Amino acid sequence: MIYNSIHNLIEYAISCGLITPEDKVWATNRLLEALGLESYEEPADCDEEINLEDTLRELCDYAVEMGMIEDSIVYRDLFDTKLMGLLTPRPGEVIAQFNSLYAQSPVAATDYFYKLCQDSDYIRRYRIARDMKWTADTEYGTIDITVNLSKPEKDPKAIAAAKLAKQGGYPKCLLCKENEGYAGRVNSPARQNHRIIPMTINNQPWLMQYSPYVYYNEHCIVFNSEHTPMAINRATFAKLLDFVTLFPHYFVGSNADLPIVGGSILTHDHFQGGHYEFAMAKAPIEREVKFDRFDDISAGIVKWPMSVIRLNGADKSRLIELADRILAAWRGYTDEAAFIYAETDGEPHNTITPIARRRGDNYELDLVLRNNITTDEHPMGVYHPHAQLHHIKKENIGLIEVMGLAVLPARLKGEIAKLCRMILDGSDLRSDEDTAKHADWVDSFIGNYQVTADNIEDIIKK
């Protein structure tokens, strides 16, 4: 059985180009070493179709049976990533191939790199396929919604072990370049199959990788080569526009640099991009705006449920100049009647979430005005979903949500299924811990529908 699994993993790696047929014996011996085996026999009967998830599960089952690892999703992920790392091309090979293809076209380069990250199981295709995804038609366009299931939830044993584990300072965060090839630990993911691409933007060394959780097509992360905090400034606009110059088929944007309105990692300067057009990018200009001395830049307010100024022009330097002026004006803007305060007690509140893309030969910048002020009534933010919606999600509204993709927590898959059953049964939603928090919300709309087994899930999603 174990020999079959080893054979299948080697054949998989050859079939998708991770290794060559000439690497077969060498790669087999690497796997034998990792599995604590001293001998190997080529199986007589081989599977015609190789399923990577099943193969890795079989290898992890063997490791559990031999006492090599604990039987837990965390330890299994650490172990199967180690195995895949043995079969993933070295960073120098990946970079050389990327650069060679880039000389042909940026699309060819990113197609290669994205496929590699999936084939190496850094992006686990089989988990991504389980994500719940649907759309909602609104007055602002078609909004994307996903319940992301590709990021595994830790079991109680792993959580307990993580609490006892030494809090190491290496790598400094999940974005740092030192993650490439890192073995991981119970409180930090394994990254032996992780590869990154170096590039220069705004005359500085930056890096690109793909997100292992892929919230949308070719979801990439572009990050500073140094562990330095998030900052929105003039240089940010230059970096974003440089990136879409290098990769005109991608958009790229930055989370804001303040808590509540920023992303989940504020300690490492980074952007997110990809090959996808969000609803905000499709949204029309609602009202045109003219800026003095910037007649070469078309500008307007976007029809969107957030305050968005769109700039479009052919000259990057002019866009950077105007965006920087808007940022400076917004940083210092106060309108008490509208409850907009630039700062309170010395704490700044105003910042911008910027997004860049190409429109033919032109460049386009969307500048989303953000404010993170809190009150006793709204301690998580006045301009943040309020408490009555926290049963769905209470985390930051970052770049991805701003653009029109709601990334919802994995717990909702089970809670939606339970809501469907209990509503159809006429059960008391308040009698169950998982559904009680949703009860008031369900009461607000369920009476408007003729509920059936065929439509209940769609009603809840809507």
Side-chain angles (χ1 to χ4, degrees), residues 166-185 187-189 191 227:
K166 182 180 178 182
Q167 298 300 312
Y170 181 90
K172 290 180 180 176
C173 77
L174 292 175
L175 289 180
C176 284
K177 61 189 177 186
E178 289 79 13
N179 284 281
E180 187 176 40
Y182 185 58
R185 52 186 190 269
N187 55 1
S188 183
R191 289 289 184 255
H227 183 74

Side-chain angles (χ1 to χ4, degrees), residues 114 117-126 128 193 210-214 219:
Y114 190 55
C117 292
Q118 295 175 91
D119 291 343
S120 69
D121 209 39
Y122 168 72
I123 296 171
R124 297 176 185 255
R125 288 186 179 104
Y126 42 88
I128 305 295
N193 56 353
Y210 286 107
S211 166
Y213 310 119
V214 191
H219 177 183

Side-chain angles (χ1 to χ4, degrees), residues 297-360:
I297 304 294
S298 63
I301 297 170
V302 180
K303 185 180 180 183
W304 193 244
M306 302 182 78
S307 300
V308 185
I309 300 170
R310 178 169 293 162
L311 310 178
N312 185 296
D315 188 333
K316 282 195 292 186
S317 64
R318 295 283 288 163
L319 279 171
I320 293 166
E321 178 66 28
L322 179 52
D324 189 43
R325 291 191 185 194
I326 292 170
L327 174 63
W330 176 241
R331 291 270 197 208
Y333 183 80
T334 292
D335 181 349
E336 294 184 11
F339 205 74
I340 300 290
Y341 292 88
E343 59 88 20
T344 55
D345 300 325
E347 179 188 351
H349 296 303
N350 291 345
T351 187
I352 278 177
T353 298
I355 301 108
R357 64 185 75 89
R358 298 296 295 272
R359 293 295 189 196

Side-chain angles (χ1 to χ4, degrees), residues 353-372:
T353 298
I355 301 108
R357 64 185 75 89
R358 298 296 295 272
R359 293 295 189 196
D361 291 333
N362 277 14
Y363 295 89
E364 190 167 88
L365 269 178
D366 281 351
L367 306 176
V368 187
L369 309 184
R370 312 297 301 277
N371 179 286
N372 75 345

Side-chain angles (χ1 to χ4, degrees), residues 420 423-424 446 451-461:
C420 290
I423 290 169
L424 289 172
I446 202 68
V451 174
T452 69
D454 292 330
N455 69 8
I456 180 59
E457 183 172 318
D458 288 337
I459 289 171
I460 290 172
K461 286 178 177 179

Side-chain angles (χ1 to χ4, degrees), residues 18 44 117 125 145 195 218 233 264 319 400:
L18 292 175
C117 292
R125 288 186 179 104
I145 304 176
R195 298 293 178 264
E218 296 179 45
N233 50 37
S264 57
L319 279 171
I400 295 171

